[in-house]
Amino acid sequence: MRIATWNVNSVRARTDRIIDWLGRSDVDVLAMQETKCKDEQFPYERFKEIGYEVAHVGLSQWNGVAIASRVGLDDVQIGFEDQPGFDKDPEADPVREARAIGATCGGVRVWSLYVPNGRELEDPHYAYKLDWLAKLRDDAEGWLKQDPDAQIALVGDWNVAPTDDDVWDPAFFEGKTHTSEPERAAFTAFTESGFADVVRPYTPALACTRTGTTRSFASRKSRACESTSSSAHRHSQPASKQPRSIETSEKARAPAITLR
């Protein structure tokens, strides 16, 4: 099965491009982030026309996540169990944003994730980001404890650069989000919980280019590789906005984290 993840940055603005790419890519499951639309605005029919079912959650023109699958779409879950909410007004009730959706596709539990940006190190959104990642890690670790042989893919826009090799200029990111030690520790916590960063072996080729700061994860027993819709050279679309895919074989039957 072939799984891809893509921060589409408005599914309505890029519907033609997404549909065209799916037609060329032979991807079985596509996780999308930043769809930027409400559920009733999502172009479901365009995906249905080419054989994909879609599960989507979107509350406004911000955020929004979806999963498109041609190998089944079962047990759809909007948000993970302990997903925290956020409101910039500390006196207001926090809202659980449209940042996570899960579904079982061809026997693999796929989660499309749009991790909070964090904005700035002193911003309340940064604390929210760390809490969001911690709660996800705790829940994901629980899923593995319940079923050690489960196939789980945590994919999407992580808004974290785990190493200096994942950014175009480490000095530029000093004192900023995405590369801070707490964020990197939060990312590493997933690998310490039994998941595996399956795209890491395939990232050196991007080290000399300007790359994005997003990652994904696949289970510790999964075998996977990443590909892009176009080559990652200087004039191509930034890596953070290119679709990435992972492939799993019949022998790869367990939970996973994949880099985006």
Side-chain angles (χ1 to χ4, degrees):
M1 184 168 68
R2 210 159 180 234
I3 303 172
T5 180
W6 189 353
N7 181 319
V8 296
N9 192 22
S10 178
V11 68
R12 289 179 293 171
R14 292 175 172 78
T15 300
D16 290 343
R17 182 175 181 180
I18 297 167
I19 296 299
D20 178 65
W21 183 80
L22 282 172
R24 294 184 285 108
S25 66
D26 195 33
V27 161
D28 298 299
V29 180
L30 174 62
M32 291 171 276
Q33 304 84 42
E34 249 191 310
T35 57
K36 293 185 176 180
C37 68
K38 297 179 180 179
D39 290 345
E40 59 269 24
Q41 298 172 314
F42 192 94
Y44 296 98
E45 287 301 316
R46 294 292 306 278
F47 288 84
K48 184 178 179 180
E49 289 170 0
I50 61 171
Y52 288 83
E53 299 177 82
V54 176
H56 173 262
V57 57
L59 305 178
S60 64
Q61 74 272 29
W62 309 110
N63 309 321
V65 285
I67 298 173
S69 171
R70 65 180 185 184
V71 291
L73 192 70
D74 303 311
D75 302 322
V76 175
Q77 180 179 337
I78 296 174
F80 52 91
E81 289 86 345
D82 297 315
Q83 181 179 328
F86 177 77
D87 195 293
K88 60 183 178 180
D89 181 356
E91 302 299 322
D93 292 332
V95 175
R96 192 161 87 162
E97 299 173 311
R99 293 184 176 275
I101 189 168
T104 300
C105 308
V108 177
R109 189 67 177 167
V110 178
W111 280 91
S112 179
L113 306 168
Y114 183 37
V115 176
N117 178 281
R119 299 175 184 168
E120 297 179 354
L121 297 183
E122 303 303 323
D123 196 290
H125 207 258
Y126 178 74
Y128 164 56
K129 176 180 187 174
L130 295 178
D131 185 39
W132 201 96
L133 284 167
K135 295 291 176 50
L136 173 62
R137 195 292 305 263
D138 289 346
D139 282 0
E141 185 177 43
W143 302 334
L144 292 184
K145 288 180 178 178
Q146 291 175 9
D147 183 1
D149 294 322
Q151 300 178 75
I152 304 172
L154 308 176
V155 306
D157 189 338
W158 287 72
N159 275 317
V160 176
T163 75
D164 284 347
D165 288 338
D166 299 312
V167 294
W168 60 278
D169 182 0
F172 176 85
F173 284 92
E174 289 183 8
K176 299 179 181 179
T177 60
H178 295 60
T179 61
S180 70
E181 288 305 316
E183 290 168 287
R184 287 180 168 179
F187 183 87
T188 302
F190 285 87
T191 62
E192 294 172 346
S193 297
F195 286 85
D197 178 345
V198 299
V199 178
R200 173 58 59 192
Y202 304 94
T203 55
L206 301 180
C208 61
T209 68
R210 176 170 178 160
T211 66
T213 55
T214 54
R215 316 300 296 181
S216 321
F217 271 109
S219 72
R220 61 183 179 279
K221 295 181 183 177
S222 289
R223 181 164 62 85
C225 67
E226 76 169 353
S227 63
T228 61
S229 60
S230 60
S231 60
H233 57 78
R234 181 173 302 181
H235 300 294
S236 68
Q237 180 185 354
S240 60
K241 298 303 179 186
Q242 292 176 357
R244 299 290 179 84
S245 65
I246 60 171
E247 297 174 345
T248 59
S249 68
E250 288 300 317
K251 295 180 180 179
R253 293 295 180 185
I257 324 176
T258 66
L259 295 180
R260 183 184 174 285

